Amino acid sequence: MAARVLVIGNGGREHALAWKLAQSNHVKQVLVAPGNAGTACSEKISNAAISVSEHGALAQFCKDENIEFVVVGPEAPLAAGIVGSLASAGVRCFGPTAEAAQLESSKRFAKEFMDRHGIPTARWRAFTEPGEACSFIMSADFPALVVKASGLAAGKGVTVASSREEACRAVQQIMQDKTFGAAGETVVIEELLEGEEVSCLCFTDGRTVAPMPPAQDHKRLLEGDRGPNTGGMGAYCPVPQVSKDLLLKIKNTILQRTVDGMQKEGVPYTGVLYAGIMLTKDGPKVLEFNCRFGDPECQVILPLLKSDLYEVIQSTLDGLLCASLPVWLDSHAAVAVVMAGQGYPGACARGVEITGFAEARALGLEVFHAGTARKDGKVVTNGGRVLAVTAVRENLISALEEARKGLAAIQFEGAVYRKDIGHGAVAFLQQPRGLTYKESGVDIAAGNMLVKKIKPLAKATSRPGCDVDLGGFAGLFDLKAAGFKDPLLVSGTDGVGTKLKIAQQCNKHDTIGQDLVAMCVNDILAQGAEPLFFLDYFSCGKLNLSTAEAVVAGIAEACMQAGCALIGGETAEMPDMYPPGEYDLAGFAVGAVERGQKLPCLERIAEGDAVLGVASSGLHSNGYSLVRRVVAKSSLQYSSPAPAGCGSQTLGDLLLTPTRIYSQSLLPVLRSGHVKAFAHITGGGLLENIPRVLPQNLGVDLDARTWRVPAVFSWLQQEGHLSEEEMARTFNCGVGAALVVPADLAAQVLRDVQQREEEAWLIGRVVACPEGGPRVRVRHLTEATHRGRSVLENGAANSHWSVQPKKARVAVLISGTGSNLQALIDSTREPGSAAHVVLVISNKAGVAGLDRAARAGIPTRVISHKLYKSRVDFDTAVDQVLEEFSTDIVCLAGFMRILSGPFVRKWNGKMLNIHPSLLPSFRGSNAHEQALAAGVTVTGCTVHFVAEEVDAGQIILQEAVPVKRGDTIASLSERVKLAEHRVFPAALQLVASGAVRLGEDGKLCHVQEE
């Protein structure tokens, strides 16, 4: 029996819904309320003169007209509860209830829901007071530039600001000017995400999720994604940038998780769920939810639906979607181009005649009406977005070409449309294609290049018994050549844990390799073994050569410290296994010990033996999940200065202090025969590691007052409110290794350890341990920790700590090779330097200066000026990062951007530049050329404070360079560079030490002049 169905709405989306439903053999008639000119009088589609806001009258109309079910197009009726009202009257309605539709009708509800259910989205806050919202925008530690009216605003309640000031103006317009009425009583402030935006929709019956092909909308009015935001100027489907694997990930982590979450909260979601998603470098994240088809996405998705839409809706309403999943035209693409009236998105003229529909149909195109009406037998404009021309062809490029033909056929005065719909996808498709291992995410060439780069590093670790030569299937080691007679082999494996997370966040990868080696070789040292060779495993989602090289270089350096050969390893590039920028490490060490020297000597350990503690370098590589939690709850970031008493480094650098390697210093002591046991204090802290080398009936009694507890442990204990037991069970608390020795030899062994440049103490003794009693007792740990805390509070140490004078924190801005950057880095690492380079910013990615900084372990940031509309916007972004790193002084080292007035004024007297001439002569970018043309015999370089006028700031230092006969620009430049490498660090030292500063009168001021 043929059915009658009702579609609610009057736009292009509703026309497309009616058009698709009318194709079903089950459907006799589709009514549309209120409809438009396109739905007014076709064969099976007509408009219905019934109010959709009066739910009671609408329900009666449906009963009178034998309506099988109602399909709701726009969001407003859903938010108004139309589904619940019709359902209570016995009328089936396709769409979510008002409670479920809060995912769209309340941005705040949606964000809180996503947080509750672990659905990836931008960071955010909601506000009901404009002042608080603006205060948050200006102080947030992320770009809080997206301002949303929390309620429904016809798709126009979002402002993506280019600056914090613009974001604050948007708040004022929404909350004080009431641009969107009650919808703006609450605003949501979101982090600005970067990436490709896509629309991912699905049918759902409350349990099953059936994804639709992804689509992409074009919100901006003008070509090139310029102009004001609109309801949508066109769309295409599918999106080739979204692979099947990525769509599956979106389904599982976003769509299914949303539906499951609503079910768990007792609000089953039925209908169409639309997720606006940003494909960020960290994976897909939700921008917003809609609770219905998008417009114009609907006009490109439904033409690709191979299944009967009536049957899909019935299965959804019956809760049987899993048994009748929709089928799509996989081998086709659809493009829809919206034609809008002149003046859109503002007021538009109405009643303008539209022609060319027959010509468009003859081309095989579908024209979905939106803002149209019938007047005197003609179709005329009746709104902003007038209609959409949709083409379906075998590929996207063909569909776009056909849609353009339709644009030429359809005519009305003042028509506005875009010709570049799908431009991003076209560019993507026109890239050289062909299925390759590299396109699948594995770059063999990059792997080979890494091997080439690390071969000499590994070769340098060769030792007796092994001549390292990477590239074979396996490595060989000759025990006899290493001098062993009756050896036992000892092996150990370990990783670095979530310390890796901090390394990755700080972009500091050169020390983590030492952690990996140390964790393994220190473990086998507990058997008395000499480490012989080491293998590493480096796994990632996408291989970053510079990162991997830095890690392996650190591993090789650590192997040399440990005296073992880096005999081989594995680099595993595994797409989709790791988020971008993340990697994991594992290490494997093999050592040997003569049979008669193996440890521990359990039968020799006795009550009364002494316990010696060997100092750790800090946290080593354990407890970092707890450390990261403490940092997250503290007021500090990894780029913040370390707590007082912890040195002049950043907190991130402090926490990344590499694990100490004990093999070279302690192995001779262990072979002396005086040591009964060696315990590596690793995961499990003091409480769980020392018992591993003791007989079951013995334990140890330790006095924490006998050793130095580094200030970092005091800070963690204080900031995290950690108990004494938690500290002792998680951390080494300053003791990286423990030795058990006879009491009468304790002093001698302690001297031997100390003579090998290890800090060590007598920290306790071996005691009898009753069955079931604690194996390790640490007395006075709280007192010792409080002693460290006094360093934090007073900023000075008593007998144990010496605090270095605070160094000026320097950020260097570059655009290229950064040759002067290297000179600055080298000079600030001298003992007497008053400065410390904490950050390097480049406006260009991939430049050599970034590699220089990375090799030096200095955090880097790339801030492309091309992403900002103005110099001021770009400079504001730079300034935010400078503030994040608590910068004191800015040095420009080949930074090829003219800085804006506000930026220069803010950093007045704190920003230095170097110019390749003796200023005020030869200003500008071609100083060497000017000098040669002028015929001068002397030129040079100048370091000066930056002023608003280019190359006109107060001069700090100059160095003369002779111009030689026959000099070229290149030869002169090389000699001037050598002078720059001397004078720039010297000038920085003058400013950082306070010997030179800019006076209030704008003149240079020396300390002695004051």
Side-chain angles (χ1 to χ4, degrees):
M1 175 177 156
R4 307 179 79 208
V5 297
L6 173 65
V7 175
I8 302 295
N10 64 348
R13 165 184 49 218
E14 289 72 36
H15 188 183
L17 283 164
W19 168 81
K20 194 63 182 177
L21 284 166
Q23 294 175 6
S24 172
N25 292 329
H26 303 290
V27 174
K28 176 174 70 175
Q29 186 180 18
V30 181
L31 298 178
V32 185
N36 53 45
T39 57
C41 54
S42 66
E43 182 179 351
K44 293 172 69 172
I45 306 172
S46 58
N47 292 339
I50 180 68
S51 171
V52 298
S53 59
E54 296 293 329
H55 295 171
L58 182 63
Q60 189 60 49
F61 172 85
C62 292
K63 292 178 180 179
D64 294 343
E65 297 294 330
N66 295 317
I67 300 298
E68 182 75 16
F69 57 73
V70 176
V71 179
V72 183
E75 63 273 22
L78 293 170
I82 190 172
V83 173
S85 297
L86 294 181
S88 62
V91 178
R92 286 159 66 90
C93 189
F94 180 73
T97 63
E99 193 174 2
Q102 288 181 93
L103 284 174
E104 179 175 6
S105 63
S106 171
K107 302 292 187 296
R108 181 171 192 161
F109 172 89
K111 298 295 282 191
E112 290 172 346
F113 174 87
M114 286 186 272
D115 286 351
R116 288 197 298 273
H117 295 281
I119 297 165
T121 187
R123 290 175 285 181
W124 70 284
R125 284 278 300 277
F127 299 91
T128 56
E129 293 295 329
E132 294 177 4
C134 289
S135 177
F136 174 77
I137 289 169
M138 301 306 292
S139 63
D141 59 357
F142 57 84
L145 299 177
V146 180
V147 182
K148 296 181 176 181
S150 181
L152 295 178
K156 299 174 184 176
V158 179
T159 297
V160 180
S162 58
S163 67
R164 294 176 188 261
E165 292 75 13
E166 183 183 348
C168 286
R169 288 196 295 272
V171 169
Q172 303 299 327
Q173 290 168 358
I174 293 173
M175 303 193 79
Q176 292 184 329
D177 299 343
K178 305 293 184 182
T179 305
F180 304 109
E185 291 177 355
T186 297
V187 294
V188 171
I189 310 298
E190 283 188 3
E191 173 188 17
L192 177 64
L193 299 178
E194 295 182 352
E196 191 90 4
E197 185 174 345
V198 295
S199 304
C200 293
L201 292 80
C202 68
F203 294 102
T204 179
D205 58 6
R207 289 184 174 82
T208 300
V209 165
M212 305 178 198
Q216 187 173 64
D217 184 13
H218 294 65
K219 288 291 187 187
R220 298 286 189 171
L221 178 68
L222 305 176
E223 291 174 11
D225 292 328
R226 297 176 297 108
N229 270 334
T230 69
M233 293 302 293
Y236 66 92
C237 178
V239 180
Q241 300 94 314
V242 179
S243 65
K244 290 183 179 179
D245 288 344
L246 180 55
L247 184 59
L248 180 62
K249 181 177 182 178
I250 290 170
K251 175 195 173 185
N252 293 335
T253 63
I254 294 175
L255 299 175
Q256 188 70 59
R257 198 173 289 179
T258 300
V259 171
D260 291 346
M262 296 297 283
Q263 186 76 29
K264 288 176 184 176
E265 296 193 4
V267 189
Y269 188 104
T270 302
V272 170
L273 177 63
Y274 169 131
I277 289 171
M278 185 69 81
L279 304 179
T280 76
K281 61 182 179 60
D282 299 320
K285 294 187 178 183
V286 176
L287 296 172
E288 63 175 0
F289 284 120
N290 292 331
C291 295
R292 33 71 193 182
F293 275 102
D295 186 343
E297 289 94 337
C298 185
Q299 292 92 302
V300 290
I301 292 175
L302 288 185
L304 298 180
L305 178 61
K306 193 174 181 179
S307 300
D308 186 321
L309 179 59
Y310 172 90
E311 294 178 356
V312 172
I313 291 175
Q314 286 284 30
S315 298
T316 302
L317 292 173
D318 292 337
L320 300 173
L321 186 59
C322 60
S324 182
L325 293 175
V327 179
W328 303 91
L329 293 170
D330 290 333
S331 59
H332 287 72
V335 172
V337 181
V338 170
M339 300 182 74
Q342 189 172 14
Y344 181 73
C348 301
R350 297 173 184 259
V352 179
E353 183 180 359
I354 310 168
T355 62
F357 294 108
E359 290 84 348
R361 282 194 294 272
L363 293 170
L365 305 173
E366 295 297 334
V367 179
F368 295 113
H369 292 237
T372 63
R374 289 192 173 270
K375 182 179 180 181
D376 301 327
K378 299 175 181 178
V379 177
V380 297
T381 61
N382 192 41
R385 289 191 295 169
V386 177
L387 52 84
V389 178
T390 299
V392 179
R393 295 294 184 268
E394 291 182 356
N395 59 67
L396 183 64
I397 294 174
S398 297
L400 182 55
E401 291 173 352
E402 292 302 310
R404 287 172 179 162
K405 294 178 182 177
L407 297 174
I410 302 290
Q411 299 284 326
F412 62 92
E413 185 179 351
V416 177
Y417 54 85
R418 288 178 56 165
K419 297 179 181 178
D420 66 341
I421 300 301
H423 61 92
V426 171
F428 178 85
L429 291 170
Q430 289 178 339
Q431 294 175 355
R433 307 308 297 165
L435 194 59
T436 65
Y437 204 14
K438 182 175 181 179
E439 287 183 337
S440 300
V442 181
D443 191 340
I444 295 176
N448 292 338
M449 179 59 70
L450 177 63
V451 173
K452 184 177 180 180
K453 285 176 175 287
I454 65 177
K455 261 192 172 187
L457 302 175
K459 184 74 174 177
T461 67
S462 296
R463 54 153 291 161
C466 179
D467 185 14
V468 177
D469 186 17
L470 299 183
F473 287 101
L476 296 172
F477 193 94
D478 187 339
L479 284 168
K480 286 186 178 179
F484 287 91
K485 295 177 179 148
D486 184 22
L488 295 171
L489 290 179
V490 181
S491 64
T493 183
D494 211 334
V496 183
T498 57
K499 190 173 186 177
L500 278 173
K501 283 281 199 182
I502 299 177
Q504 289 157 8
Q505 282 187 255
C506 296
N507 194 28
K508 182 175 172 60
H509 312 285
D510 58 334
T511 59
I512 206 76
Q514 178 171 330
D515 291 300
L516 184 67
V517 174
M519 296 300 288
C520 297
V521 300
N522 289 347
D523 275 356
I524 66 173
L525 200 59
Q527 305 292 153
E530 173 188 347
L532 302 178
F533 58 88
F534 187 85
L535 300 100
D536 70 272
Y537 177 79
F538 180 99
S539 58
C540 59
K542 181 170 179 58
L543 183 61
N544 181 303
L545 274 177
S546 61
T547 297
E549 184 181 4
V551 172
V552 178
I555 292 172
E557 174 64 29
C559 284
M560 287 192 281
Q561 287 185 40
C564 62
L566 179 55
I567 201 169
E570 166 73 3
T571 302
E573 190 173 22
M574 299 182 287
D576 305 325
M577 287 290 289
Y578 299 91
E582 292 193 8
Y583 58 87
D584 200 2
L585 292 174
F588 312 89
V590 174
V593 58
E594 295 291 359
R595 193 177 300 272
Q597 295 180 333
K598 70 181 179 69
L599 295 176
C601 302
L602 295 177
E603 68 284 354
R604 292 175 51 202
I605 300 174
E607 186 178 353
D609 283 342
V611 180
L612 306 182
V614 184
S616 67
S617 57
L619 290 165
H620 283 187
S621 299
N622 300 107
Y624 274 82
S625 294
L626 176 56
V627 170
R628 289 168 51 241
R629 189 68 180 270
V630 171
V631 173
K633 298 185 82 171
S634 77
S635 61
L636 299 183
Q637 298 176 331
Y638 294 122
S639 57
S640 302
C646 295
S648 61
Q649 59 199 322
T650 65
L651 177 60
D653 289 339
L654 172 68
L655 298 178
L656 290 174
T657 302
T659 306
R660 190 157 183 81
I661 296 173
Y662 297 112
S663 53
Q664 292 280 62
S665 58
L666 295 186
L667 196 57
V669 178
L670 300 184
R671 285 174 170 169
S672 69
H674 300 325
V675 177
K676 299 180 180 182
F678 171 95
H680 177 205
I681 310 304
T682 178
L686 293 166
L687 299 187
E688 296 190 5
N689 284 290
I690 298 176
R692 297 166 70 179
V693 298
L694 297 176
Q696 286 295 320
N697 63 328
L698 296 176
V700 296
D701 185 271
L702 308 179
D703 186 347
R705 296 175 300 181
T706 60
W707 75 80
R708 177 176 63 86
V709 179
V712 65
F713 294 104
S714 305
W715 180 78
L716 287 167
Q717 190 278 327
Q718 179 182 12
E719 198 70 34
H721 305 289
L722 305 181
S723 68
E724 187 173 281
E725 182 178 4
E726 193 68 31
M727 292 290 294
R729 191 176 299 282
T730 306
F731 302 119
N732 64 58
C733 298
V735 178
L739 283 67
V740 177
V741 301
D744 58 341
L745 295 175
Q748 178 184 336
V749 176
L750 183 61
R751 282 195 304 273
D752 289 346
V753 173
Q754 291 171 339
Q755 286 172 0
R756 297 182 180 278
E757 298 184 354
E758 294 287 358
E759 189 178 4
W761 317 271
L762 176 61
I763 63 172
R765 61 191 180 90
V766 175
V767 296
C769 177
E771 185 175 353
R775 304 286 302 282
V776 177
R777 182 186 177 196
V778 184
R779 292 180 291 114
H780 308 300
L781 182 57
T782 299
E783 179 184 338
T785 304
H786 285 176
R787 184 180 61 200
R789 185 179 303 167
S790 69
V791 175
L792 298 178
E793 293 169 350
N794 302 327
N798 43 38
S799 60
H800 284 295
W801 289 272
S802 60
V803 181
Q804 302 175 11
K806 185 177 184 299
K807 293 187 176 185
R809 297 172 61 79
V810 178
V812 184
L813 274 55
I814 64 171
S815 294
T817 59
S819 59
N820 278 317
L821 166 64
Q822 191 64 54
L824 293 172
I825 292 172
D826 293 341
S827 69
T828 54
R829 291 190 170 180
E830 294 295 326
S833 174
H836 174 49
V837 179
V838 298
L839 171 68
V840 173
I841 297 177
S842 174
N843 65 312
K844 296 180 181 178
V847 298
L850 294 172
D851 294 334
R852 291 179 190 270
R855 286 194 296 270
I858 297 171
T860 61
R861 294 287 188 274
V862 176
I863 306 175
S864 175
H865 59 279
K866 295 180 180 179
L867 301 178
Y868 297 88
K869 293 180 179 179
S870 67
R871 277 194 293 144
V872 172
D873 291 345
F874 169 70
D875 292 351
T876 300
V878 173
D879 184 61
Q880 289 170 356
V881 178
L882 294 175
E883 293 291 351
E884 176 189 343
F885 280 79
S886 303
T887 303
D888 299 312
I889 299 172
V890 178
C891 290
L892 308 183
F895 185 63
M896 307 304 291
R897 298 290 300 166
I898 296 176
L899 296 166
S900 63
F903 185 88
V904 173
R905 288 192 293 273
K906 175 175 179 179
W907 291 95
N908 185 41
K910 296 181 285 186
M911 183 158 52
L912 283 60
N913 183 43
I914 189 161
H915 184 74
S917 78
L918 295 176
L919 292 174
S921 298
F922 312 135
R923 296 182 182 180
S925 60
N926 58 345
H928 298 312
E929 185 177 343
Q930 293 181 60
L932 291 173
V936 297
T937 58
V938 176
T939 184
C941 55
T942 302
V943 182
H944 62 92
F945 284 114
V946 176
E948 289 190 60
E949 184 180 351
V950 176
D951 298 333
Q954 288 291 300
I955 294 171
I956 303 168
L957 273 183
Q958 292 182 311
E959 182 171 329
V961 175
V963 180
K964 297 182 179 180
R965 184 179 300 172
D967 256 338
T968 63
I969 293 175
S971 62
L972 181 58
S973 173
E974 285 304 312
R975 289 205 311 285
V976 172
K977 278 183 183 177
L978 295 176
E980 289 178 1
H981 297 344
R982 292 187 294 270
V983 74
F984 207 168
L988 174 60
Q989 177 70 3
L990 287 173
V991 176
S993 65
V996 167
R997 65 180 179 84
L998 199 62
E1000 293 182 3
D1001 59 356
K1003 302 295 184 182
L1004 204 66
C1005 181
H1006 294 269
V1007 169
Q1008 58 267 33
E1009 293 177 359
E1010 294 179 344

